[in-house]
Amino acid sequence: MTIIYAILIFCLLIFVHEFGHFIVAKACGVKVNEFAIGMGPAFFKKQKGETQYSLRIFPIGGYCAMEGEDEDSEDERAFNNKPAWQRALVLGAGAFMNLLTAILLMIIIAFWAGQASTTIDVVTEDSPAYEAGIQHGDQIVAVDGTEIDEWNDIIGAIGNKEEETADITVLRDGSELTLTSRLVYDEEVERNRIGITPVIEHNVLAAVPAGVKNTWNMTVMMYDIIKKLFTGEVSTKELSGPVGIVYAVNDTAKAGAIYVVYLAALLSLNLAIMNMLPFPALDGGRLLFLLIRKITGKRVTDEMEGKIHFIGIVLLMMLMVYVTWNDIVKFIVPFFS
């Protein structure tokens, strides 16, 4: 199952990325010579119109080969002959589709996990809330007179309060009641508690903003890690490649299918962010050259840019070898020792 999960995740994310390039290229009238999923020799090929569609034996990559992408072409429909704004749309479409995929997967996770509402589900017996008269079904609308919009507001208002009591305003049977509860400090979670748990709602409308918010938080975290890689706060030995991802899939699959979905969202967002870095051969590097050439005119030729991107591909392959070796040392060597 680990291998199946890993292949499905790789193929899904690669397909989404390359399909983004493909549909925008077609929409802009760019000639697409081949749309391939996987790398290496092809085991399936089909020519439809001007484009060859293929599946290749190694599910670790893919490409959307456009006419004039890395070389000069006289074809009026070649990528290099299209306006700069159209080329920018084509280049950014892959990362955008991966970002969109990550958001959709995070929305699915948010819906599955549910959102904590401000309505109380369980009141622990003999807890401060129980003693104060708070009941199942009460909706907390204010704490110490401050309006409550979501469960996190309740945690913040109660958890960090320095006084020994809090005034909890609840909505019960259409009427508001204000009840005074004492606070108990929980050493384990390092905040005050009163002994209540919320009703968990599985609502699509609530899951959408939660999924977007969680994707944003994950994006900030990833950029922070990239920053720490450059400053040396995080070692390059922490980087992982396909082998590490397979082991991560194995670990998450043991925890349950929803954790595999979360890993897929994480990898999709990672693919979007990494591809937009301003490095040769990556989409971000190509966008950077597009800007440079817009400013400098014909000083940078298609052939010159193609050679620089080729160097970038070589460096990326070297990085792949390095991270694969890291994975072997971290995961495979200890297994046999």
Side-chain angles (χ1 to χ4, degrees), residues 6-57:
I7 290 175
L8 285 175
I9 291 174
F10 275 127
C11 290
L12 170 67
L13 300 186
I14 292 163
F15 171 77
V16 165
H17 183 90
E18 297 302 331
F19 186 67
H21 291 311
F22 176 78
I23 57 173
V24 176
K26 287 287 189 179
C28 292
V30 177
K31 182 180 179 181
V32 179
N33 296 324
E34 183 177 2
F35 179 73
I37 299 299
M39 303 296 283
F43 63 87
F44 171 82
K45 290 182 181 180
K46 184 174 182 179
Q47 188 75 30
K48 188 173 180 181
E50 64 186 22
T51 306
Q52 177 179 276
Y53 301 86
S54 64
L55 296 175
R56 297 176 179 270
I57 61 174

Side-chain angles (χ1 to χ4, degrees), residues 9-314:
I9 291 174
F10 275 127
C11 290
L12 170 67
L13 300 186
I14 292 163
F15 171 77
V16 165
H17 183 90
E18 297 302 331
F19 186 67
H21 291 311
F22 176 78
I23 57 173
V24 176
K26 287 287 189 179
C28 292
V30 177
K31 182 180 179 181
V32 179
N33 296 324
E34 183 177 2
F35 179 73
I37 299 299
M39 303 296 283
F43 63 87
F44 171 82
K45 290 182 181 180
K46 184 174 182 179
Q47 188 75 30
K48 188 173 180 181
E50 64 186 22
T51 306
Q52 177 179 276
Y53 301 86
S54 64
L55 296 175
R56 297 176 179 270
I57 61 174
F58 301 117
I60 56 172
Y63 54 88
C64 173
M66 296 174 284
E67 179 73 20
E69 183 179 3
D70 293 314
E71 71 287 329
D72 291 320
S73 175
E74 298 301 322
D75 192 321
E76 63 178 11
R77 295 182 57 222
F79 178 79
N80 63 303
N81 292 326
K82 290 294 179 179
W85 68 270
Q86 289 189 349
R87 283 180 282 165
L89 286 177
V90 173
L91 291 172
F96 175 78
M97 287 294 286
N98 279 126
L99 173 62
L100 186 60
T101 300
I103 292 173
L104 290 174
L105 292 176
M106 292 302 287
I107 290 172
I108 291 171
I109 293 168
F111 178 76
W112 178 87
Q115 307 302 307
S117 68
T118 57
T119 301
I120 297 169
D121 183 21
V122 176
V123 180
T124 306
E125 193 171 346
D126 298 328
S127 67
Y130 183 87
E131 295 170 358
I134 297 174
Q135 300 176 8
H136 162 78
D138 287 347
Q139 181 185 353
I140 298 179
V141 294
V143 175
D144 292 327
T146 301
E147 187 176 339
I148 295 298
D149 294 318
E150 57 183 35
W151 181 255
N152 284 336
D153 294 339
I154 300 171
I155 294 175
I158 293 175
N160 302 320
K161 192 170 169 40
E162 295 182 359
E163 290 81 0
E164 295 181 353
T165 62
D167 292 330
I168 314 295
T169 303
V170 301
L171 186 64
R172 182 187 301 171
D173 298 328
S175 300
E176 288 191 1
L177 301 172
T178 299
L179 306 167
T180 301
S181 172
R182 62 185 179 87
L183 307 178
V184 175
Y185 187 77
D186 190 326
E187 296 284 351
E188 186 177 342
V189 295
E190 298 182 341
R191 60 178 172 81
N192 298 320
R193 301 183 71 171
I194 61 173
I196 56 174
T197 56
V199 170
I200 302 299
E201 296 179 340
H202 299 273
N203 187 299
V204 174
L205 294 179
V208 171
V212 173
K213 181 180 178 181
N214 292 336
T215 304
W216 169 254
N217 291 337
M218 201 157 54
T219 302
V220 172
M221 177 190 70
M222 285 186 183
Y223 273 110
D224 185 56
I225 291 172
I226 292 172
K227 177 184 174 183
K228 288 179 178 178
L229 277 170
F230 281 101
T231 59
E233 294 177 66
V234 173
S235 172
T236 54
K237 292 182 179 180
E238 299 300 318
L239 296 173
S240 277
V243 175
I245 292 172
V246 170
Y247 272 81
V249 170
N250 180 59
D251 289 339
T252 53
K254 292 176 183 176
I258 198 66
Y259 293 93
V260 177
V261 176
Y262 180 82
L263 178 63
L266 185 69
L267 292 174
S268 187
L269 184 60
N270 186 282
L271 189 59
I273 291 172
M274 295 304 292
N275 262 283
M276 291 308 291
L277 293 178
F279 188 84
L282 297 178
D283 295 332
R286 294 178 183 276
L287 282 168
L288 178 62
F289 267 97
L290 190 63
L291 178 62
I292 292 172
R293 294 180 68 174
K294 191 68 177 175
I295 296 172
T296 62
K298 293 291 185 179
R299 294 182 184 179
V300 179
T301 64
D302 292 329
E303 184 179 358
M304 187 186 305
E305 182 182 343
K307 289 179 179 177
I308 294 173
H309 288 316
F310 177 76
I311 294 171
I313 291 173
V314 172

